[in-house]
Structures are given as C-alpha cells and as structure tokens.
Amino acid sequence: NTAAAAPEPMDISIDAAKNDAPSTIHRMMPEQAWSKVLQLNFDATTKDCLNTLLKIIDNLLSKPNEPKFRSVRCANAAFEKKVGRCKGAYEFLYSIGFAPKYPVILGGGGGYGMTNNASPETLELTPENESRETLLRGRKTLIQSAVRDLGMEEEDLPPVPKTPENLPASTLAAPPTSGSAASRTNSRGPTSQFNVYKTHSHNLQSAAMGAPDPYGDAAKSMSTTERQLQQLQSKKDKMERDMQSKIETDRGLVAYLAGSGPVAVAPAAAGGGGGGSGGKSDSSLVAARMKRMEEERKKREEGGFTTKAMRDLERMKKAKVYSHAQIRINFSDGTHLHAKFLPREKVSALRTVIQSAFQPSLAQSLDFDLYVAPPRRLLIDTKTLEEEELVPAAKIHVSWKVGASPVGGAAGSYIRGELFSGGGNGVAASAFPDAKPIMKKPKSQAKPNDGSAGNGNGGKSAPSKEELMMQRMMGKGAGMFGKKSSSDSKGQDGAKKSGKPKWFKG
C-alpha cells in the first residue's frame, strides 16, 4: 500500500547516439554535384547560389583558419534563401569538404552524418576533409559554369584570392607533405617526389590522341572525347532549361471520351527536322526503322573498336532536345487523357498526374499498371521517360488491377468533369513537341544531294566499302557484278580491257 514511486531518470549516452548515426556521407565530385544544380534549378536561382558559394570558398581560401568561415548555419535567412532552397546545393558543399551536423534533439547525437532525413543544423569543414586543391577545383567548376552555362561575364566574377603571408600552419593552407623530402634540395634544385614502387608510364602517341593516362588522376587526364561529351551534355542541359521551363506549371491535361479527341499536329518542315510520321502507314514506319537498324549494324561492323565515350559522343551529336513529351493515356473504356511531361521526368510523374485526374471520392480505391504495346511491356516507375523510349510522343495504356477498377457508371465517369471541357485547348495539347538538334549540321551536309549538285554521280550515292573491295578484287575496270566501268574501259594503249584480272586464265 505504498505510494507509486516516481520514475527514475534515465541516462542517455550521447556517445552512443553518435555511434548510431552514420559517420560518412556520399560525396560526389564538384563537377557532378554542380551539374545536378544546373539541371534542377532555373538560371536566376542558380546565379544567386553560385555567387554565395563563391564567397564561401573565397573566404576559406583567404582565411582558412578563421572559425566563422569553417561553419555555415543553415537557418541563416540569407543562406536559406540563396543556397538552402537551391536543389543540389548541399551536395556541392559536401563535395568540397563540408559535412552536415545535426542537433541532439533530432536524433543526430550532435554528430555528423545523415539521420532520419532531418535538416542539418550547421555545415562544418572538418580538418580531415579540408583540402585547398578540392576548394580550388570547386571554384574552377563554378567559374567555368558561370561563363559557359549562365552567360555571366568573366570580368564580373571575383578573382582567385591570394593566401596571406605568415599564415599559421594549416592542412588547408599547406597540405602536409611526406616527411622532409619536399624540402630537400641539391645542386640542381629541389628534388621532385617520385615513388619508385609505383608504376609510371607515359605514351606520347596516345597522349597526342587525347587518351587518358591510366596511372594519373582521372579528372586531370580527361580525354578529348570525354571533354567534348561533357561540353555537349552541358549544352543539352542549358537547352532543356530554356525549352522546358513552363511544362511543370502547365501540363495541358485534357480528357476525351471514346471516339473523340484532337488530331495530332505534326511539326513544320523547317522546325524539328522531320519528327512526325507524315501520315505514313505502320508497315512503312516499320520498314524505315528496319532499314535504319541495318545501316547502324553495318556502321558498327565497319567502324572497328570504339570506347563507350566515343559511342556516347556519336549519339549526343545526333540527339535532339524536345520541348516536352506528348503522352496519350488510354483507358479500357476508350476514355483517354492528353498531357505534357518533361523528358527527364520519371514514370511515377505519369502515375501522379493520372491519379490527380480521378474523381476525389474514387482516387484512393483505384489502382493500375502502365504499359505500352505492342509488344506489351510494363513501365517501371523509377525510370525516366527517355529511358522508357516515350520521347517525343507516346501512347500508353492503363491496366486496372484486380479489385481496384471503377465499378458501374458511364464511360469516363471516374475522371473529373472539368477535364472534359478542354475544348479549344485540344489542338495545343496534342501539338507535336518542338525539337532542336544539339549539334547543327554544316550547310554542306544539310543540303540533300541531287543530280545537279556537283557530286559527279548524277544523284547516286558513293559506292560502299564492300563494292570498292569487290572492284579491286575483280580488276580496276570491273564493277561489283563484273560489268565494265566506263571510266576505266580503256587502257593506256586504247585497247579495251576484258574486265578480268591479269592472273585469270580461261
């Protein structure tokens, strides 16, 4: 009959909480992290973020031992407005050495590392992560992108700050060297650090062709092909931001009943370069595709060995940037939706838009799969529309899952009524996406070869490698099937050749 004892206080080990939190975070290279910022934000937001990041890096380069520059408070209003709201900016700060620190109350134990998707309290440059080379590399990435991608003038950007003299020793100001080897000198000057146990090789011929050094730093030994591919990728990202800035705010979502709907509008002849079908039948489209596949197969066989970067570069040179992806979504009762999407959006965005088109009272009870046909192939939510080959336009189908389909009611009764009143927006919603090539072809290649264009062949294409090889095997005067060529029908003495090689007897 004693009174209930008061609960005893519990001791919480902060060290244990620190051990539970992951001690490392996934770090990308500064170039990769900044490329993500360019893809996910508009130029105005990116410029504000770039200027703020440059100030952070310059402060660290000029005063590396100043504690206030080595820690960034994420709740700061200016930082939150210019950097915190910029998608991918935190990843860039992580790439140059900063680490997030979480408060104890959110389960972070006051330590470093990501826990429970909570927002970090501060970003700190820890001694084990600091490197002047990494900061300079990140700064170089920002400066190059500001001029190349954002159209900023180079003279408007701040110069590289100079490290003040008599600076106290710091791993950031002067990275540690191995012993006193760096300070040893002889009569011929300071000795270079050379590791006799490490393999060293330098092929002058390969280096002249742009091949990377297999024993060097991969970032410093980027090949010419990889540099060109990176430049085209940056150009493609900029073109996408310019052409696709309004798609997420205006999907052009319209619904139609069976037997109704807009007529697809093909692009103009001078626009995207023939993206539409032009009214061709399915058989002609299949035949054209098979012909292209055969030409690509022959080109691969005759092209010899190529690297992945070379193949990616060739694809990038031929690729086009589309203003949007026009998607038609068909239901089993004939009802269909039309909407616009970004080529880099995931299939899950399709699912979200379809669910938003349902009646609010039915949205929770309806479940479905998305597929394309023929042949029937289910779409994966985590893949992008480009990866699923739904760009620039595609027709997908909705398959209701068992027990999760609309029951009763007229056709299309599960779709919100206001979507059927799109009316005049139908033609605009179904218009074929605009297309721009990443690389413009030279004028000499852009004009088609006709009989009057001085190719000397009367409009005929040049002979293939197989035909030329056959002609050499059968003699200079013979064609592919043993026919005499008009240009070589006579020899030096005026006598006609027989079209047979000299070694042939019979």
Side-chain angles (χ1 to χ4, degrees):
N1 295 332
T2 59
E8 297 181 358
M10 297 178 61
D11 294 332
I12 300 178
S13 175
I14 296 180
D15 294 336
K18 288 183 180 180
N19 293 332
D20 292 338
S23 58
T24 59
I25 58 176
H26 176 67
R27 298 185 186 274
M28 296 184 289
M29 304 301 291
E31 296 83 359
Q32 297 174 342
W34 185 249
S35 176
K36 183 177 179 182
V37 175
L38 291 175
Q39 296 174 15
L40 299 178
N41 301 277
F42 294 113
D43 287 354
T45 306
T46 306
K47 288 181 181 179
D48 292 339
C49 178
L50 184 143
N51 291 327
T52 306
L53 293 174
L54 277 177
K55 291 180 181 179
I56 294 175
I57 294 177
D58 288 349
N59 288 335
L60 288 170
L61 291 174
S62 58
K63 299 180 180 180
N65 293 322
E66 189 70 31
K68 65 178 182 179
F69 294 145
R70 301 171 66 88
S71 178
V72 179
R73 189 166 59 89
C74 299
N76 182 277
F79 178 83
E80 172 63 21
K81 179 181 179 181
K82 297 181 179 181
V83 179
R85 297 179 183 178
C86 186
K87 300 177 181 177
Y90 277 90
E91 283 78 358
F92 181 82
L93 288 171
Y94 298 158
S95 69
I96 60 175
F98 281 90
K101 187 176 182 180
Y102 297 87
V104 179
I105 192 172
L106 293 179
Y112 301 98
M114 187 69 67
T115 58
N116 301 328
N117 295 326
S119 299
E121 184 178 25
T122 58
L123 299 178
E124 298 188 2
L125 186 64
T126 57
E128 59 271 13
N129 293 333
E130 57 184 353
S131 170
R132 185 178 180 85
E133 285 75 12
T134 303
L135 289 175
L136 291 173
R137 180 175 178 178
R139 192 184 193 281
K140 181 180 179 181
T141 301
L142 296 178
I143 295 295
Q144 291 178 345
S145 177
V147 177
R148 181 184 64 238
D149 302 323
L150 302 178
M152 301 173 67
E153 298 295 335
E154 189 171 359
E155 55 268 16
D156 296 338
L157 299 172
V160 180
K162 296 182 179 179
T163 304
E165 298 180 358
N166 301 324
L167 189 68
S170 169
T171 54
L172 179 62
T177 58
S178 58
S180 59
S183 60
R184 292 198 305 264
T185 58
N186 53 24
S187 58
R188 291 176 294 180
T191 59
S192 60
Q193 298 182 7
F194 183 83
N195 188 354
V196 296
Y197 299 103
K198 180 180 178 181
T199 304
H200 295 268
S201 175
H202 186 72
N203 190 320
L204 294 177
Q205 184 177 3
S206 300
M209 297 294 294
D213 182 7
Y215 304 103
D217 187 1
K220 297 180 181 179
S221 59
M222 184 180 294
S223 65
T224 304
T225 303
E226 292 172 336
R227 282 195 296 269
Q228 294 177 356
L229 181 62
Q230 190 178 43
Q231 293 174 358
L232 289 181
Q233 184 63 46
S234 300
K235 183 178 179 181
K236 179 184 177 184
D237 295 339
K238 188 176 187 302
M239 293 174 63
E240 287 179 345
R241 291 196 302 274
D242 296 339
M243 297 177 63
Q244 304 168 0
S245 58
K246 299 181 180 180
I247 298 301
E248 290 183 340
T249 58
D250 182 18
R251 294 282 188 187
L253 181 61
V254 185
Y256 298 94
L257 294 174
S260 63
V263 178
V265 180
S277 61
K280 296 181 180 179
S281 63
D282 291 345
S283 58
S284 61
L285 292 175
V286 171
R289 178 174 174 80
M290 295 297 293
K291 182 179 179 180
R292 288 196 303 269
M293 294 175 62
E294 180 66 16
E295 292 175 352
E296 292 176 357
R297 184 188 65 81
K298 288 184 177 180
K299 186 176 180 180
R300 288 195 302 269
E301 292 179 353
E302 298 172 359
F305 294 104
T306 57
T307 63
K308 182 179 182 300
M310 297 170 67
R311 294 191 296 270
D312 292 342
L313 181 61
E314 287 299 320
R315 283 194 293 267
M316 187 69 71
K317 289 181 178 179
K318 300 177 182 178
K320 297 180 180 180
V321 175
Y322 293 93
S323 59
H324 64 277
Q326 185 67 39
I327 304 297
R328 170 171 170 161
I329 305 159
N330 293 334
F331 295 90
S332 56
D333 59 356
T335 306
H336 48 98
L337 299 173
H338 292 253
K340 302 175 183 178
F341 295 87
L342 295 177
R344 291 194 177 187
E345 284 190 278
K346 295 184 178 180
V347 177
S348 57
L350 287 173
R351 184 179 297 275
T352 302
V353 172
I354 295 174
Q355 291 173 342
S356 68
F358 292 152
Q359 295 285 357
S361 58
L362 301 176
Q364 299 297 329
S365 60
L366 300 179
D367 197 6
F368 54 89
D369 289 324
L370 299 176
Y371 69 94
V372 292
R376 181 185 172 100
R377 177 173 60 86
L378 288 177
L379 302 180
I380 302 175
D381 287 354
T382 56
K383 288 190 175 182
T384 63
L385 302 188
E386 285 182 328
E387 294 172 345
E388 290 287 4
E389 299 181 354
L390 303 179
V391 180
K395 185 186 299 182
I396 68 173
H397 305 274
V398 174
S399 175
W400 300 110
K401 292 187 178 181
V402 178
S405 60
V407 180
S413 59
Y414 47 89
I415 302 294
R416 290 189 285 117
E418 60 269 20
L419 296 180
F420 290 98
S421 58
N425 296 331
V427 176
S430 62
F432 199 86
D434 296 331
K436 292 183 180 180
I438 299 178
M439 279 195 65
K440 295 182 180 180
K441 295 183 179 180
K443 294 182 179 180
S444 59
Q445 297 181 9
K447 296 181 180 180
N449 292 329
D450 52 9
S452 60
N455 55 0
N457 295 330
K460 297 182 181 180
S461 59
S464 64
K465 291 184 178 180
E466 289 83 357
E467 293 175 349
L468 294 175
M469 185 179 297
M470 184 65 68
Q471 290 177 6
R472 289 196 299 269
M473 292 175 62
M474 297 300 296
K476 293 183 180 179
M480 184 172 181
F481 299 100
K483 297 180 180 179
K484 298 177 182 179
S485 175
S486 59
S487 60
D488 294 328
S489 58
K490 294 184 178 181
Q492 297 178 354
D493 56 353
K496 294 185 177 180
K497 294 184 178 181
S498 63
K500 300 179 181 179
K502 296 179 180 180
W503 45 265
F504 184 80
K505 298 180 180 180

